[in-house]
Structure formats: structure tokens, C-alpha cells
Amino acid sequence: MAKPQPKQGGDGPRHVAIIMDGNGRWATQRGRPRLFGHQAGARRVREIVEACPDMGVDYLTVFAFSTENWKRTQSEVAGLMNLFRRYITREAKALKANDVCVRFIGDRLRLDTKLVSMMDELEALTLDCKTVNLTIAINYGGRDEVARATKRLARDVATGRLDPEKVDEETLPKYLDTCVLPDPDLVIRTSGEARISNFLLWQSAYSEYEFIDTLWPDFSAEEFRTVVGQYGTRERRYGAVPA
């Protein structure tokens, strides 16, 4: 299957990736536990997914849990894992009904088997959906992804399935978790932080970035529409000089 290519020129973004930051601060500002903010953030995902078709966004990738997030308190991590299970249970039918194809990226080995099984089932349920491609990054880190991809590539070289002399910058993406996705045109990070936090390191080499002050639970479809609209005014040259 050929990997879809990003749009160029002044078109709107076909693939938007979002670092959903600020859930904990949003909850703290309201005197509530951090998990309350994560629950509000999960509800916001549905609104953003539903807004994608009208804006011409075919692919949406959201950063739900990083390889570094295991450093958080045991209670917060456990609460997040329970939230992921509840999200799949609650949203599965709506995602299918709205023709949303769901994929998960990241290293599943550290996740509990029940959650992995639920992820597999949701992927299978929505496999033939085509209106929006929703990718959820769980236990994902860009460096970890590249390391895992490199291991797979090295095994193919060692077994003779891949000629090392033919390895180039087009080879590694075929081994990444996102091998069937186009690279993101636009990456949005909410909450005012200006970091990429180990997210889609290879894929975002030529992405446009927007760092938004709004905390994720407050990031509405209207604001999403504004950011996507601003992208259309940019000229993406990929290193070339316009004629």
C-alpha cells in the first residue's frame, strides 16, 4: 500500500497531529484532581474528531500517553489506563457510526493485556471506515519508535530480505508505526508549552507547528477551525525556492 502524500501549497492540512497538553493544570485551576482534567480532555477529543470532515482533515493523530508518562504517580497512571479502557468502550459505536478509522501507535508490550485486546478490537471494528483516520498514540515516544523501527530494519538486513546498500531516507518510514499514514502537515500543541516532547520526530521534519496557549480541555472545535484556517495562508516549500 502506497503511503499517502501530504498536501502542498496553500491547501488546508490533510493530516493534523495534536499534543494534548494541559489537562492537569486545567483540573488544578478548578481545585480538582488531575484525573478530572484527563476525563475532560477525553471528551474534547470527540468534538475535534467530529469537526475534521468539514475542514478537510482526513487524518488526526493525538498524543494520549508518552513513554515518559510512566514517571507520573502510580495512581495517575492507573487512572489514565482505566480512562483509555472507558474511552474505547464508550466511543466505539459512535466512532464506527461516524465512519472513523481508529489506529493505535506506540509500544504495546508494557500495556496490560485487556487494554491491548480492546485496542485490537476497536481497530478491527473500524478498519473499513474512511471519513476520518484517527490515530491514538499510547505508550508512544518518537525516539522509541525509531529505535524499534531500526531493529526491524536491521533484522531484515541480517536475514537478507533487505539490501543495506539500498537503505535511504525512504526506507525507515516503512518500518515506523505510522507507515500507512502521510506525514503530518500541521502539529498543534496546547497549553502554552513550546516543546515537541518526543512526538513524531521523524514524521514532523517538515510539519508546520502551532503552539496554543489554550489548555486542552478548553480547545474547542471553533479554535481548531481557526488554527487550521491559518495554516492555509502558509507557503510550504520543503527547502525549495519558488520560481
Side-chain angles (χ1 to χ4, degrees):
M1 179 179 179
K3 183 171 183 174
Q5 296 302 307
K7 291 181 179 181
Q8 299 189 23
D11 294 336
R14 184 184 185 196
H15 183 179
V16 177
I18 303 179
I19 302 172
M20 306 181 295
D21 195 22
N23 293 331
R25 274 171 282 168
W26 185 88
T28 299
Q29 289 174 2
R30 288 157 177 76
R32 302 296 297 271
R34 289 176 58 85
L35 193 58
F36 179 74
H38 294 307
Q39 292 167 344
R43 290 192 294 271
R44 183 63 68 183
V45 172
R46 172 187 275 208
E47 181 179 347
I48 300 303
V49 171
E50 291 177 346
C52 284
D54 289 341
M55 290 183 284
V57 175
D58 300 322
Y59 296 85
L60 178 69
T61 298
V62 295
F63 202 3
F65 190 87
S66 76
T67 50
E68 290 75 31
N69 286 157
W70 295 104
K71 299 174 185 177
R72 297 185 178 185
T73 65
Q74 184 176 358
S75 61
E76 183 172 354
V77 170
L80 283 166
M81 294 301 156
N82 188 45
L83 179 61
F84 296 148
R85 289 189 289 268
R86 292 207 313 270
Y87 176 84
I88 292 173
T89 300
R90 185 179 66 245
E91 298 293 329
K93 290 183 179 179
L95 290 164
K96 175 70 172 178
N98 289 324
D99 202 33
V100 178
C101 179
V102 181
R103 297 179 182 87
F104 293 93
I105 59 173
D107 186 357
R108 304 188 187 195
L109 293 179
R110 193 169 179 180
L111 302 175
D112 71 72
T113 55
K114 180 179 179 181
L115 175 57
V116 172
S117 178
M118 295 176 71
M119 291 160 59
D120 291 341
E121 290 172 2
L122 182 57
E123 287 179 328
L125 176 68
T126 62
L127 180 62
D128 296 325
C129 297
K130 301 184 183 303
T131 298
V132 178
N133 292 269
L134 172 63
T135 301
I136 303 173
I138 295 182
N139 195 30
Y140 174 88
R143 289 182 174 180
D144 176 73
E145 179 190 28
V146 171
R148 289 185 287 107
T150 303
K151 288 179 182 178
R152 291 193 288 270
L153 187 154
R155 292 191 192 104
D156 281 352
V157 169
T159 57
R161 289 194 294 268
L162 179 64
D163 182 352
E165 296 302 319
K166 294 183 178 179
V167 174
D168 58 21
E169 67 179 64
E170 300 298 324
T171 306
L172 185 63
K174 298 174 183 177
Y175 292 83
L176 294 174
D177 296 352
T178 56
C179 60
V180 299
L181 304 176
D183 291 339
D185 303 296
L186 174 65
V187 180
I188 301 169
R189 180 176 186 141
T190 60
S191 88
E193 301 292 347
R195 299 187 300 274
I196 61 175
S197 293
N198 199 19
F199 184 50
L200 300 178
L201 298 181
W202 179 281
Q203 299 89 334
S204 63
Y206 282 100
S207 301
E208 298 290 333
Y209 273 83
E210 283 285 354
F211 297 101
I212 308 299
D213 289 335
T214 307
L215 302 178
W216 172 248
D218 289 329
F219 187 68
S220 66
E222 181 178 354
E223 187 166 6
F224 183 46
R225 191 172 291 107
T226 298
V227 175
V228 169
Q230 291 170 345
Y231 171 93
T233 66
R234 303 185 182 195
E235 182 181 11
R236 303 185 72 199
R237 299 191 297 272
Y238 299 92
V241 177

